Amino acid sequence: MKTERSTTRSLLIATAMSVLLAACGGGEKVSSNTNASAQATIPDDPGAVRFLSQASFGATTADIAQLKATGLEHWIDQQFNMSRSQTGTHMDYVKSQIPLPVPQGTAVTMDPLYHSFWRQAMLAPDQLRQRVTFALSQITVISAADTGLQDSPHTIASFLDILADNAFGNYRDILQAVSTHPAMGQYLTALGNRGDNGRTPDENYAREVMQLFTIGLFELNMDGTQKMANGAPVDTYDMDDIRGLAKVFTGWSWGNEGAADPSNGRFAGNPADPMRRVIPLQFYRQYHSPDAKVFLTANIAAGSDGVQAMRTALDTLFNHPNVAPFIGRQLIQRMVTSNPSAQYIQRVANAFATGRYTTAGGYYSVGSGQRGDLKATVAAVLLDTEARSAGSIIQDDWGKLREPVLRVAALMRAFEATSQSPGQQFRIGNIDNQMFETPMRSPSVFNFFRPGYVPPNTTLASKSLVAPEFQIANEVSVATYANTLQTWIPNGFGSTATGQTGPDIRIAATEARALASDVNKLVDHVSLLLTSNTMSTATRDSIRTAVGSIAATANNSAANRVNLALFMTMTSPDFLVQK
Amino acid sequence: MTTKASRREFLKTASALSIAGGATPWAINLASIGAAAAQTVPTDYKALVCIFMYGGNDHSNVIVPADNAGYQQYAQSRGALALAQNTLLPLTAPANASLTGRQVGMRAEMGQAFAATQVGLKGLYDAGRLAVLANVGTLRVPTTMTQYRARSVPLPPSLFSHNDQQTNWQASPTAREGTRIGWGGLIGDLFAASNQFQNFTCMSASGGSVFLSGRSTVQMQIGNNGAVQINALNNQTLFGGQNVGNSVRTIMTSDRAQTLEKDYNVINKRAADSAQALNTALNNATLVTTFPNSGLGTQLRNVARIIAARATLGQRRQVFHVSIGGFDQHSGLVAGHGPLWATISQAVGAFYAATVELGIADKVTLFTASDFGRTLNSNGDGSDHGWGAHHLAVGGAVKGGDVYGAFPTVMLGGPEDVGRGNLLPAQSVVQYAATMATWFGVPASNLATVVPGVESFSADLGFMNAS
């Protein structure tokens, strides 16, 4: 596997870009100059909101206008080419709050990392990267709740930056980077794992890198369905594979700056480089298993170099046919819908496997041509006919329950949340007790919810449908969510910065308040931005009636009307299910 | 609305479900459920409480060989993971033939109690209120080592995998992740009709799990302070409006055509219908026993409060689920395992004391469960995923002060070792479950319905008194 990948994009649309920007302001369809029959996908307002609910942390009025001007393909391509420099890295932000090395006596909390997540979700123009990064963080999972990681916002920031840096790169590079990151090393305990002198290696990482990060438990067809043998699914690996692979992940421990120092003391943690939480693990030959490593299709000879052994192992996993449908399905679930059709999964898996995606009409084509290309994969997820079809919206089983983080983000972006603190810190910390989901704080490596979760005793279950996000929806969490919103919407939320008063974040909703004297216009505005106009007539009527019961002449009527419209919409199933 | 249950109501519910799930493989067998419900309307109160130890408990350091010969084998196999012999709390096991000439002990933290008036796990054992179940694990049929090696009998799917083995423990020997029905919920199906609040038959203080999901029974989630009411539903003047609460209620709880919307609103509706009744009853219930402030202590305190409110609520049979995490100790086992057991010992001791206070100690049985046991040998700093493991049952109806089942030879390469000292289970989860289900009142004729797979085993491990 080459470590450097070609990043050439075939961009059929590139030459037409400036023309398009000038010409299509009115939203009419424009033909590409490379394929007379192919057209850019220019959405209407609801279509733009719907797309942004899948591809970003939520629609804003400005994003809608831009999408309508450029069309979906150009927007995606611009996003693919947008650098991260505009908001800086998570590490930049965490360091600005808590220096690294951490000065003696400094109080360390995870808050700067959480703040950085929300800050970028709100302020970063590279929204597609943000959303894909969040999805990846739910596949290759580490957690700030871990006792080994909870003292270092820097190590989590560094890990999240890896995912963001590679969100439009290649999944193979993500595998390499996460497997050698100290946060993963601590979380899944490969750090310090020894295979010398006949020791039995820790099997933790070997198991989870297969079960969760690459191939899963059962052999898959490209369309995500299980291969069957004698009526039963086929296991991808057994205990012998795990024990063989476990030997690969031995001899890796803390790195150090400057010249590599693979000494016994360094391996055990002394001396400790002050930057070791944020630099890759290094290899310590003396602790690596000298045995042959036999697993899946690999047979690494006894005595082989350990650095190369890890590359070979990750290549083996990466090239397993399961990876394309296994990762492809999960990206669809995180962004678009819980139950994609087999054909949709297959199209995305093909983009992953071939490293290339071309839209149905041939208007847009992207990807390096190398297996694991995430530009091709992400474009396939978002531009698929099933994701874009208006017909999908009215299918009863389509869509996904919005996870709590995305609900809050959608509110904040659409209704102009402002952060009072210096430098706009967006001081949302651990919100487990309010929202039952805090970014980068999953309860285990199995994420907040499982891709195959079927909520028991539901209509979904009776239809054999999965609904991952329902794993954190129960009588307590749904009630707490509503009660939290009832406070957050009018009063704001987020911790108070030093020298400030009240919650850091306020929902300005300037545009909505300007419409508040006209109940219909206000509800239409909220319905567009939060439900892409999929709000049912019944819900719309209920909200109109309730909002209209607040007299326009009453004190604070504009604010109250907006707050009520937002509260009723965000607790409505119309909003909660992203379609 | 939750209403007083009657047999007619129960049948109506079951019938509606049967239609909803008509073409599915788990279509309800209305006749057998109805017949079972008719047979099993109890007049007394009983509760089962499952403590799930998420991550896979390192059982080898919970019940440990304490005699010299057994300890030497254990210590050699465990290496740096071994507990010191002189820290163990020796147990007498009068009726266990496999322990003749041997002795086992609990790890020291199992002697800890939260309050001076309470005892911990060791104290409960000594008082005859705690039984040790040796080497329990997931099995489809009784399995010998020869059969295991030859793969000549079917084995549970995805052994050693966290999520799948959790599901297998909570559901049935053929279950893996994605299974929708667990044996706690199936017990609930049988007894829901005997409860005034059917919604409160199966209650979880620890989040969703398959354990408490039956064919018709849905688990009810409670929080750290009981149920959570949706405040807006009763606030007609919210944000200065009129009749707002009713509109919010309509939006949040009305039936929907879209499948995900429908199922979300069903959860809203359960919360709306049940929270007030539950919290009112909890606030009126008296419970003096003090509990530790740990997560597990808080969960068990809430379970005890609900049990204290049983008469007000009109409940006769309840199944509860609580949990404690952090057991996946591939690393840091030596430092990290003891505190977990200190937490369990204190919380369970307090819970038992609460059932004594409430005068129903012999009506409440608490038991442990976990993903799997762990390897006997060390990976350097911890242990890896295993299979069979020792478990505990606690309560006034438990024939405590003894160890049940063949205690394994704790030694690498021993007769039960399937690799790295992992144990081929000697007793199956379904036997463990069926023994408690029978005490709970499940008739023998319904046992295989409630504990699928038990028909392959003898259904009584003998650690419960007759109901």
Side-chain angles (χ1 to χ4, degrees):
Chain A
M1 177 59 47
K2 283 193 287 183
T3 50
E4 280 281 349
R5 264 180 201 75
S6 157
T7 52
T8 51
R9 294 167 296 112
S10 158
L11 228 200
L12 303 181
I13 55 177
T15 52
M17 179 69 88
S18 57
V19 179
L20 274 168
L21 286 172
C24 66
E28 59 190 296
K29 292 182 179 174
V30 179
S31 294
S32 148
N33 63 350
T34 55
N35 183 342
S37 65
Q39 297 181 323
T41 311
I42 305 292
D44 58 9
D45 283 352
V49 173
R50 181 188 186 211
F51 177 82
L52 289 163
S53 73
Q54 299 165 341
S56 77
F57 272 108
T60 66
T61 309
D63 290 341
I64 296 168
Q66 196 195 352
L67 262 180
K68 289 173 70 178
T70 63
L72 307 186
E73 298 85 354
H74 291 272
W75 186 87
I76 286 176
D77 206 66
Q78 287 172 347
Q79 290 282 316
F80 281 163
N81 294 302
M82 198 176 283
S83 76
R84 293 189 65 202
S85 61
Q86 298 178 58
T87 44
T89 64
H90 293 291
M91 180 62 76
D92 291 337
Y93 184 76
V94 171
K95 279 204 244 179
S96 76
Q97 304 298 309
I98 303 176
L100 188 71
V102 179
Q104 197 91 41
T106 306
V108 176
T109 75
M110 196 53 70
D111 283 343
L113 178 273
Y114 299 139
H115 298 171
S116 182
F117 177 93
W118 288 100
R119 208 168 161 272
Q120 295 218 4
M122 284 301 295
L123 300 178
D126 56 344
Q127 279 289 304
L128 180 55
R129 184 188 299 275
Q130 299 291 327
R131 183 67 183 268
V132 173
T133 300
F134 186 44
L136 291 168
S137 80
Q138 298 190 51
I139 298 172
T140 57
V141 174
I142 62 163
S143 175
D146 184 71
T147 50
L149 301 180
Q150 64 189 4
D151 64 337
S152 181
H154 299 97
T155 200
I156 310 263
S158 161
F159 186 90
L160 190 55
D161 281 331
I162 280 178
L163 301 182
D165 288 341
N166 290 284
F168 300 144
N170 191 290
Y171 194 70
R172 176 65 182 82
D173 294 331
I174 290 178
L175 274 182
Q176 189 76 33
V178 303
S179 297
T180 53
H181 194 280
M184 185 61 83
Q186 287 191 276
Y187 191 53
L188 293 185
T189 61
L191 191 159
N193 192 15
R194 291 176 63 174
D196 55 304
N197 292 322
R199 284 169 183 272
T200 308
D202 183 330
E203 295 165 3
N204 198 14
Y205 193 66
R207 177 182 298 279
E208 308 306 0
V209 73
M210 288 201 283
Q211 181 173 349
L212 302 174
F213 303 169
T214 52
I215 64 176
L217 290 174
F218 305 109
E219 290 191 10
L220 303 176
N221 298 305
M222 278 296 273
D223 67 3
T225 57
Q226 290 175 353
K227 293 183 179 172
M228 303 297 277
N230 302 319
V234 183
D235 290 335
T236 44
Y237 55 83
D238 62 17
M239 272 311 303
D240 291 339
D241 293 309
I242 286 173
R243 292 191 177 145
L245 182 57
K247 292 177 182 176
V248 172
F249 298 109
T250 54
W252 293 86
S253 186
W254 300 111
N256 62 280
E257 301 163 285
D261 167 33
S263 64
N264 293 347
R266 181 82 67 191
F267 183 88
N270 187 20
D273 189 291
M275 301 300 283
R276 70 179 189 174
R277 307 296 290 272
V278 302
I279 58 180
L281 301 178
Q282 66 182 331
F283 182 64
Y284 296 72
R285 182 180 312 278
Q286 65 272 34
Y287 295 118
H288 185 64
S289 170
D291 298 353
K293 288 102 182 166
V294 181
F295 56 94
L296 302 180
T297 57
N299 189 343
I300 300 169
S304 298
D305 172 61
V307 175
Q308 183 55 45
M310 187 193 282
R311 276 204 205 98
T312 304
L314 295 179
D315 282 347
T316 303
L317 296 178
F318 175 70
N319 288 315
H320 190 292
N322 268 31
V323 180
F326 186 76
I327 299 299
R329 172 177 178 244
Q330 291 188 65
L331 288 174
I332 297 171
Q333 288 185 313
R334 298 276 47 82
M335 300 173 78
V336 179
T337 187
S338 295
N339 294 280
S341 73
Q343 295 78 9
Y344 183 8
I345 294 173
Q346 179 149 4
R347 290 188 288 267
V348 172
N350 281 337
F352 184 98
T354 64
R356 189 86 196 159
Y357 176 72
T358 303
T359 52
Y363 179 74
Y364 180 52
S365 187
V366 67
S368 63
Q370 300 213 28
R371 180 180 175 80
D373 186 289
L374 289 171
K375 282 186 183 133
T377 308
V378 167
V381 168
L382 291 171
L383 294 174
D384 191 86
T385 50
E386 197 166 321
R388 299 275 51 86
S389 159
S392 299
I393 298 172
I394 56 169
Q395 288 173 13
D396 283 346
D397 303 337
W398 174 259
K400 63 194 283 271
L401 180 64
R402 279 179 219 258
E403 62 202 276
V405 165
L406 295 179
R407 299 174 201 167
V408 175
L411 169 72
M412 289 169 66
R413 287 183 61 80
F415 294 93
E416 308 127 338
T418 57
S419 171
Q420 323 298 314
S421 49
Q424 303 185 75
Q425 297 170 31
F426 285 96
R427 299 171 59 90
I428 302 176
N430 178 341
I431 49 173
D432 284 354
N433 290 333
Q434 292 79 34
M435 287 290 154
F436 298 83
E437 185 189 29
T438 301
M440 303 309 289
R441 202 173 189 286
S442 162
S444 81
V445 72
F446 289 81
N447 195 28
F448 309 101
F449 28 72
R450 300 284 299 130
Y453 181 74
V454 180
N457 285 301
T458 55
T459 305
L460 286 159
S462 74
K463 294 179 164 191
S464 296
L465 298 172
V466 304
E469 292 82 357
F470 272 79
Q471 197 171 339
I472 54 170
N474 56 54
E475 294 80 5
V476 170
S477 69
V478 299
T480 305
Y481 166 70
N483 295 344
T484 300
L485 283 183
Q486 194 181 323
T487 307
W488 279 16
I489 290 172
N491 300 340
F493 46 100
S495 62
T496 307
T498 309
Q500 311 274 311
T501 25
D504 178 45
I505 297 163
R506 314 291 169 86
I507 301 299
T510 314
E511 202 178 343
R513 287 189 190 190
L515 298 170
S517 61
D518 185 326
V519 172
N520 288 339
K521 280 188 180 160
L522 171 62
V523 176
D524 285 350
H525 178 71
V526 173
S527 170
L528 171 66
L529 288 177
L530 290 180
T531 78
S532 61
N533 269 2
T534 63
M535 187 182 278
S536 68
T537 308
T539 299
R540 190 182 295 252
D541 288 348
S542 289
I543 296 177
R544 277 182 183 146
T545 304
V547 170
S549 75
I550 302 169
T553 52
N555 284 342
N556 299 320
S557 72
N560 278 331
R561 282 182 165 192
V562 169
N563 290 340
L564 184 56
L566 291 177
F567 174 78
M568 293 180 79
T569 302
M570 289 191 67
T571 52
S572 73
D574 313 66
F575 164 74
L576 287 163
V577 178
Q578 172 189 309
K579 298 168 206 79
Chain B
M1 265 323 278
T2 306
T3 54
K4 280 203 179 203
S6 65
R7 180 170 154 73
R8 189 180 55 79
E9 279 295 320
F10 170 72
L11 290 174
K12 203 165 74 183
T13 314
S15 173
L17 267 150
S18 157
I19 291 160
T24 68
W26 49 270
I28 196 163
N29 183 334
L30 187 57
S32 80
I33 293 277
Q39 289 170 18
T40 54
V41 177
T43 53
D44 60 346
Y45 178 85
K46 282 184 181 172
L48 265 178
V49 183
C50 172
I51 295 187
F52 208 94
M53 302 179 285
Y54 280 108
N57 175 45
D58 187 79
H59 65 281
S60 300
N61 277 6
V62 174
I63 308 295
V64 183
D67 61 278
N68 287 336
Y71 180 82
Q72 286 309 318
Q73 291 174 334
Y74 156 85
Q76 277 176 14
S77 300
R78 291 234 94 179
L81 302 182
L83 300 170
Q85 189 177 5
N86 63 6
T87 63
L88 301 173
L89 310 175
L91 304 177
T92 55
N96 191 310
S98 75
L99 287 172
T100 303
R102 305 163 71 191
Q103 184 163 48
V104 293
M106 287 180 169
R107 67 173 302 144
E109 292 83 355
M110 297 166 80
Q112 290 187 21
F114 173 64
T117 54
Q118 300 170 6
V119 295
L121 298 170
K122 173 62 163 51
L124 289 168
Y125 185 93
D126 291 341
R129 298 292 180 252
L130 182 149
V132 174
L133 282 294
N135 193 12
V136 181
T138 58
L139 288 174
R140 290 174 69 172
V141 295
T143 303
T144 65
M145 185 58 79
T146 306
Q147 291 168 325
Y148 171 77
R149 293 223 171 97
R151 299 295 193 272
S152 60
V153 297
L155 296 172
S158 301
L159 284 170
F160 313 107
S161 157
H162 283 296
N163 48 339
D164 297 282
Q165 289 301 298
Q166 286 163 10
T167 303
N168 201 287
W169 258 89
Q170 296 179 11
S172 78
T174 56
R176 56 165 62 103
E177 183 182 81
T179 300
R180 302 161 209 155
I181 294 174
W183 54 271
L186 289 168
I187 291 175
D189 288 344
L190 277 190
F191 291 100
S194 62
N195 292 332
Q196 182 176 327
F197 286 90
Q198 296 193 18
N199 277 352
F200 304 159
T201 302
C202 288
M203 306 190 77
S204 172
S206 78
S209 72
V210 69
F211 174 63
L212 291 181
S213 299
R215 287 195 170 84
S216 55
T217 302
V218 180
Q219 78 162 34
M220 167 70 67
Q221 179 73 32
I222 55 168
N224 288 343
N225 296 303
V228 180
Q229 299 185 46
I230 303 171
N231 297 330
L233 302 184
N234 298 312
N235 186 346
Q236 302 302 344
T237 57
L238 183 64
F239 297 120
Q242 296 163 27
N243 208 27
V244 174
N246 292 339
S247 295
V248 172
R249 186 181 295 270
T250 301
I251 293 172
M252 290 184 71
T253 66
S254 59
D255 190 24
R256 307 285 294 205
Q258 212 275 354
T259 312
L260 293 105
E261 294 185 355
K262 181 191 205 61
D263 284 336
Y264 193 91
N265 271 17
V266 167
I267 304 173
N268 278 336
K269 184 156 174 26
R270 277 205 306 274
D273 289 351
S274 306
Q276 190 169 2
L278 182 62
N279 283 349
T280 302
L282 292 184
N283 292 337
N284 292 332
T286 304
L287 184 69
V288 177
T289 304
T290 55
F291 279 77
N293 203 20
S294 61
L296 184 65
T298 304
Q299 292 175 49
L300 283 173
R301 177 172 167 272
N302 274 302
V303 171
R305 289 172 70 208
I306 293 168
I307 293 174
R310 67 197 179 283
T312 317
L313 293 169
Q315 301 302 92
R316 295 207 175 102
R317 284 291 186 278
Q318 289 181 292
V319 188
F320 296 98
H321 179 70
V322 300
S323 73
I324 171 170
F327 285 88
D328 194 21
Q329 292 170 321
H330 293 276
S331 177
L333 177 71
V334 171
H337 195 232
L340 294 174
W341 279 95
T343 300
I344 294 174
S345 187
Q346 293 185 22
V348 171
F351 181 75
Y352 180 78
T355 63
V356 172
E357 177 197 334
L358 297 171
I360 50 157
D362 62 342
K363 300 294 187 185
V364 179
T365 300
L366 173 149
F367 65 98
T368 61
S370 191
D371 314 19
F372 34 60
R374 302 188 79 82
T375 57
L376 179 61
N377 80 339
S378 171
N379 63 28
D381 189 28
S383 55
D384 294 324
H385 300 186
W387 194 0
H390 312 315
H391 284 281
L392 311 176
V394 177
V398 172
K399 289 189 209 167
D402 212 342
V403 176
Y404 291 81
F407 199 86
T409 304
V410 183
M411 180 177 81
L412 290 172
E416 299 88 359
D417 181 0
V418 298
R420 295 191 58 192
N422 280 334
L423 294 175
L424 174 67
Q427 310 186 87
S428 77
V429 175
V430 291
Q431 291 174 291
Y432 186 45
T435 306
M436 291 183 282
T438 299
W439 164 78
F440 200 67
V442 175
S445 58
N446 283 97
L447 212 47
T449 310
V450 167
V451 188
V454 73
E455 56 275 17
S456 301
F457 298 87
S458 66
D460 188 356
L461 297 179
F463 64 91
M464 295 300 298
N465 284 315
S467 49

